[in-house]
């Protein structure tokens, strides 16, 4: 019997993407539709639940950008399909979409890559500077983060990785 696949949304940065093909995407956690998320958002259909998990991964990408000031100011989310055995339980809190990853995500598991377009760079840069304050409840910082979240991430097929890296680096 084969292991069931789980769609995960992994927050990343452009430098992390540059290592994807050779080393996989090295991330300890990601977001997915978890039992806790289903229970919290019971009226949501599967597509809405997936969008919540995706959006949370994009928010986490801001924290990665804050930690890496040299990275291009673009949020990155990698959608991947992993065997259930490679996806650990998250924190179990009601509404949480966080899951643990047992190993780096191989390029072969990547379903799509999502990256901010050039028009979002200024808003993403501002949001990355204040994301910690926003998480702590600062309403002005949250307003700035919301400005970045108004931008939809662009979709790329994994076969476009090299082209994508040339255009966003």
């Amino acid at each position: 019997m084969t292991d069931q696949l789980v769609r995960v949304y992994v927050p990343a940065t452009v430098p992390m993407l540059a290592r994807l093909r050779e080393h996989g995407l090295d991330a300890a956690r990601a977001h997915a539709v978890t039992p806790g998320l289903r229970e919290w958002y019971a009226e949501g259909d599967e597509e809405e639940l997936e969008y919540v998990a995706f959006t949370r991964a994009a928010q986490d990408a801001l924290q990665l950008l804050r930690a890496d000031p040299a990275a291009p100011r673009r949020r990155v989310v990698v959608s991947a399909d992993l065997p259930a055995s490679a996806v650990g339980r998250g924190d179990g809190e009601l509404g949480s979409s966080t899951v643990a990853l047992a190993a780096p995500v191989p390029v072969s598991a990547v379903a799509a890559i999502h990256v901010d377009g050039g028009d979002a760079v200024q808003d993403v840069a501002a949001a990355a500077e204040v994301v910690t304050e926003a998480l702590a409840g600062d309403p002005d910082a949250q307003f700035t983060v919301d400005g970045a979240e108004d931008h939809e991430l662009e979709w790329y097929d994994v076969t476009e990785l090299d082209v994508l890296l040339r255009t966003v680096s």
Side-chain angles (χ1 to χ4, degrees):
M1 187 165 125
T2 59
D3 208 355
Q4 182 178 1
L5 293 180
V6 176
R7 171 65 52 99
V8 296
Y9 301 97
V10 187
T13 61
V14 171
M16 291 171 73
L17 280 182
R19 297 185 295 272
L20 173 63
R21 192 175 312 286
E22 289 184 30
H23 305 286
L25 189 60
D26 193 17
R29 62 184 221 155
H31 292 270
V33 176
T34 63
L37 181 60
R38 281 187 200 286
E39 185 178 341
W40 171 75
Y41 195 37
E43 71 278 357
D45 64 19
E46 193 66 21
E47 188 174 317
E48 290 171 312
L49 293 169
E50 295 276 348
Y51 186 74
V52 169
F54 175 87
T55 301
R56 289 178 179 172
Q59 291 167 348
D60 282 359
L62 286 174
Q63 294 176 61
L64 293 174
L65 288 173
R66 177 150 184 164
D68 184 358
R73 304 285 93 177
R74 295 178 191 237
R75 296 169 298 164
V76 176
V77 175
V78 176
S79 299
D81 295 318
L82 297 175
S85 60
V87 180
R89 292 179 52 108
D91 55 27
E93 288 186 31
L94 183 63
S96 177
S97 61
T98 303
V99 294
L101 298 180
V105 176
V107 70
S108 61
V110 174
I113 301 168
H114 312 271
V115 181
D116 274 309
D119 63 329
V121 170
Q122 187 173 359
D123 289 336
V124 170
E129 290 297 318
V130 299
V131 66
T132 304
E133 292 83 354
L135 290 169
D138 181 320
D140 292 332
Q142 186 59 54
F143 181 79
T144 302
V145 169
D146 290 345
E149 291 177 356
D150 286 343
H151 296 276
E152 292 290 327
L153 278 72
E154 298 174 355
W155 182 94
Y156 295 88
D157 187 81
V158 69
T159 61
E160 299 174 286
L161 179 61
D162 293 331
V163 173
L164 172 63
L165 289 171
R166 281 195 300 274
T167 61
V168 299
S169 295

